[in-house]
């Protein structure tokens, strides 16, 4: 199975900060990589697909980049409503696998 | 607006089975699949399996092979996930999600673009 490793596991930042999360795969997943946001008590929500494409309706402060084994998720200006856990997920090869998550808190 | 409506919380004894339903209210399965993901308390997301009715295929994570069955009833737009031989470490929230294909061409499936609210399954004696 392809293992996905996110960094950091948790992050504390201030409103307005630029926030970056990385996701590394144990093998090339091409750009078959998605990012999800999960707010406390809610189901995950798809934010970014194919590594860098913004899902319809998602604010433009969210972005993604990367290919191969190394990917980055960025919030350009953190808002209070962005408090959540973020997960990457690869779909290059079954089984689909997720990163362990990055918990984002407001400083 | 399509919603995925899941069945209610369950409490099960160890060794028993649970069957969770997921109805696509206001939509169809015609060009989508359904996938199941679980989340143990305070833990991350774990993929269990998927079904793609238009291709008549189902795939499961090796960890759950032999214990999980995912089915779909196109006439009622309802998918089901049945997990057997339950253990205490199966206690989790079970989510269904709509599975979208890349460019709609059915060659590659991997976008979980709409989720149910989750079903808590508690396994305890």
């Amino acid at each position: 199975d392809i293992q996905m490793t996110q960094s950091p596991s948790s992050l504390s930042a201030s409103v307005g900060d630029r926030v970056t999360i990385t996701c590394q795969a144990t093998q090339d997943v091409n750009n078959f990589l998605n990012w999800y946001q999960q707010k406390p008590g809610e189901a995950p929500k798809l934010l970014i697909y194919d590594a860098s494409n913004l899902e319809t309706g998602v604010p433009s402060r969210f972005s993604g980049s990367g290919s191969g084994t190394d990917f980055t998720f960025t919030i350009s200006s953190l808002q209070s409503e962005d408090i959540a856990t973020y997960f990457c997920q690869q779909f290059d090869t079954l089984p689909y696998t997720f990163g362990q998550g990055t918990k984002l808190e407001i400083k | 607006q399509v919603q995925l409506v899941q069945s209610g919380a369950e409490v099960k004894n160890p060794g028993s089975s649970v069957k969770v339903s997921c109805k696509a209210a206001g939509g169809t399965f015609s060009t989508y699949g359904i996938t199941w993901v679980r989340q143990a308390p305070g833990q991350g997301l774990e993929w269990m399996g998927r079904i793609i009715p238009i291709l008549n295929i189902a795939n499961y994570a090796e960890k759950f092979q032999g214990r999980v069955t995912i089915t779909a009833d196109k006439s009622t737009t309802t998918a089901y996930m049945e997990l057997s031989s339950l253990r205490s470490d199966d206690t989790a929230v079970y989510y269904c999600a709509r599975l979208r294909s890349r460019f709609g061409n059915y060659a590659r499936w991997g976008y979980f673009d709409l989720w149910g609210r989750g079903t808590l399954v508690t396994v305890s004696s």
Side-chain angles (χ1 to χ4, degrees), chain A residues 1 31-32 34 36 38 42-46 49-50 55 87 89 91-96 98-100, chain B residues 35 37 39 43-47 50 59 61 95 99-100 102-103 108-113 115-117:
Chain A
D1 297 1
N31 68 334
F32 301 136
N34 302 323
Y36 297 85
Q38 185 179 31
E42 297 184 7
K45 174 186 175 183
L46 177 64
Y49 66 94
D50 290 350
E55 180 74 347
F87 296 92
Q89 172 239 335
F91 62 101
D92 178 78
T93 306
L94 289 180
Y96 301 132
F98 291 90
Q100 81 278 16
Chain B
T35 191
V37 174
Q39 187 170 38
Q43 301 301 308
L45 302 172
E46 182 174 33
W47 183 72
R50 70 178 188 180
N59 304 101
Y95 292 103
L99 181 62
R100 192 173 81 209
R102 195 163 190 256
F103 304 135
R108 186 173 295 275
W109 300 74
Y111 313 105
F112 304 178
D113 70 348
W115 293 65
R117 297 183 69 174

